[in-house]
């Protein structure tokens, strides 16, 4: 591979994981305010699966090829501002995607240093934890002693949310598949339930939803001042799902709100502090090389993951 070209993952049509391929393209040239990063690892996220499958077609259009990869961990190529060459950093490419490549040009305000003690693969399991921070601290304003329910407690955002909820002083109930209940307990959940047969769950002050379906049923579990924060919507019924969220977002009691994370450096720094304190640890499900990115997408698509699926880029 020459110094001006790189390997990257793309797809030229919507479809199953097999539409993904690894090809070559030019190394990006950073624009003012950007940092060139030699990418070492990325995670696979649900939004990428929906994009690749064509389920976001009204927003993503029909222009191809499209890149994949939202977050990244890698080494700074050339010193820039607060970053020295060789620094291990983590961050987000943003909604344009493209981090599943050997190099990425990333805005400096969307990068921060990886906490000491984490390697690239471990660190790649954590950037979406910024979503959990925003959901619990900023949107839900979770308070010590409150009861928190995490749907998808062992998924890519949920596994961090369980740990954060405990660190913030909440009583945490985790919903997960039967074979993942041990992990949810190990992450710190006070109560774990099989989402297929949860039994009587009781009432909750906060529900963090990472699934996007059946929101009315989970709203009914709220205390009078309870709130649902969702990071997903029903892709099979998007209009109905988004209309339901919008209709309940302004309620003063038992409200439902959604948000799409777009973290900047201070939020990554905060995530780093949670990690350094020992309150949050990474959970890697499986690791795939870049050449097997289709397999990584398939692994997440099949469900039942234990943490994050990571793609290593050597």
């Amino acid at each position: 591979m020459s110094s001006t070209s790189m390997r990257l993952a793309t797809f030229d049509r919507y479809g199953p994981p097999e539409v993904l391929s690894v090809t070559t393209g030019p190394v990006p040239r950073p624009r003012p305010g950007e940092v060139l990063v030699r990418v070492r690892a990325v995670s696979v996220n649900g939004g990428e699966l929906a994009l690749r499958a064509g389920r976001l077609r009204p927003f993503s259009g029909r222009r191809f090829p499209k890149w994949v990869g939202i977050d990244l961990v890698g080494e700074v190529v050339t010193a820039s501002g607060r970053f020295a060459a060789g620094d291990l950093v983590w961050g987000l490419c943003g909604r344009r995607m493209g981090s599943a490549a050997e190099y990425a040009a990333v805005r400096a305000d969307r990068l921060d240093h990886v906490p000491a003690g984490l390697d690239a693969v471990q660190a790649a399991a954590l950037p979406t934890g910024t979503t959990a921070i925003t959901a619990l601290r900023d949107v839900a304003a979770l308070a010590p002693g409150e009861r928190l329910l995490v749907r998808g407690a062992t998924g890519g955002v949920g596994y961090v949310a369980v740990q954060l909820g405990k660190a913030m002083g909440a009583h945490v109930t985790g919903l997960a598949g039967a074979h993942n209940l041990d992990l949810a307990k190990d992450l710190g959940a006070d109560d774990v339930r099989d989402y297929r047969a949860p039994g009587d769950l009781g009432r909750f002050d906060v529900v963090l939803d990472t699934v996007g379906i059946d929101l009315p049923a989970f709203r009914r579990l709220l205390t009078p001042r309870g709130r649902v924060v969702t990071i997903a919507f029903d892709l099979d019924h998007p209009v109905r799902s988004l209309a339901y969220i919008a209709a309940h977002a302004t309620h003063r009691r038992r409200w439902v709100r959604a948000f799409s994370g777009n973290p900047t450096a201070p939020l990554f720094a905060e995530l780093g502090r949670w990690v350094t304190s020992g309150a949050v640890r990474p959970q890697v499900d499986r690791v795939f090389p870049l050449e097997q990115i289709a397999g990584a997408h398939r692994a997440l698509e099949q469900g039942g993951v234990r943490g994050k699926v990571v793609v290593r880029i050597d």
Side-chain angles (χ1 to χ4, degrees):
M1 188 68 59
S2 74
S3 60
T4 58
S5 63
M6 65 175 184
R7 293 176 299 146
L8 69 156
T10 66
F11 60 98
D12 58 10
R13 65 189 187 281
Y14 294 122
E18 288 71 26
V19 301
L20 290 164
S21 64
V22 176
T23 183
T24 60
V27 173
R29 293 184 178 182
R31 294 174 292 190
E34 291 183 336
V35 177
L36 184 63
V37 177
R38 170 63 170 95
V39 182
R40 294 300 181 186
V42 302
S43 76
V44 181
N45 297 282
E48 297 173 79
L49 304 189
L51 172 71
R52 187 215 69 232
R55 303 184 77 186
L56 301 177
R57 207 168 306 190
F59 310 101
S60 57
R62 297 181 176 274
R63 294 183 62 182
F64 295 99
K66 295 188 186 297
W67 293 24
V68 293
I70 297 173
D71 53 47
L72 62 89
V73 174
E75 296 144 2
V76 173
V77 175
T78 305
S80 177
R82 58 197 176 93
F83 300 111
D87 282 356
L88 189 64
V89 295
W90 59 8
L92 230 65
C93 267
R95 296 186 178 94
R96 65 181 179 177
M97 300 197 189
S99 63
E102 288 187 301
Y103 293 89
V106 186
R107 281 174 47 181
D109 65 356
R110 299 194 182 281
L111 289 172
D112 199 56
H113 295 90
V114 169
L118 294 181
D119 62 30
V121 168
Q122 292 172 322
L126 286 164
T128 51
T130 56
T131 300
I133 294 174
T134 302
L136 297 182
R137 183 199 62 194
D138 299 336
V139 183
L142 181 68
E146 290 194 310
R147 287 175 51 82
L148 166 67
L149 176 66
V150 180
R151 296 186 70 192
T154 58
V157 173
Y159 94 87
V160 177
V162 168
Q163 297 177 81
L164 276 174
K166 283 301 297 178
M168 296 169 72
H171 179 283
V172 180
T173 297
L175 283 183
H179 64 292
N180 284 347
L181 296 181
D182 61 329
L183 175 58
K185 194 72 175 178
D186 186 55
L187 292 168
D190 300 284
D191 185 18
V192 295
R193 303 290 185 95
D194 182 346
Y195 75 91
R196 295 182 180 88
D200 182 8
L201 288 167
R203 294 290 181 265
F204 296 92
D205 301 291
V206 175
V207 174
L208 175 57
D209 169 60
T210 69
V211 182
I213 61 173
D214 300 327
L215 288 179
F218 284 89
R219 181 174 179 262
R220 287 194 289 270
L221 298 179
L222 293 178
T223 60
R225 293 186 177 274
R227 48 265 190 221
V228 174
V229 181
T230 181
I231 63 169
F233 63 92
D234 186 348
L235 291 172
D236 291 325
H237 307 94
V239 174
R240 185 172 68 192
S241 177
L242 293 172
Y244 180 84
I245 294 169
H248 293 86
T250 58
H251 286 207
R252 298 185 65 180
R253 296 160 62 89
R254 294 179 174 170
W255 52 251
V256 180
R257 292 177 188 166
F259 78 97
S260 177
N262 199 18
T264 54
L267 197 51
F268 283 106
E270 181 174 351
L271 176 64
R273 290 192 291 272
W274 284 112
V275 173
T276 300
S277 74
V280 172
R281 60 176 170 85
Q283 176 67 35
V284 178
D285 180 293
R286 277 166 283 181
V287 183
F288 293 81
L290 180 62
E291 286 73 18
Q292 295 179 21
I293 192 167
H297 272 233
R298 191 177 304 108
L300 181 58
E301 210 160 64
Q302 288 171 346
V305 296
R306 297 169 64 89
K308 291 294 285 189
V309 175
V310 173
V311 175
R312 188 183 66 248
I313 303 173
D314 298 320

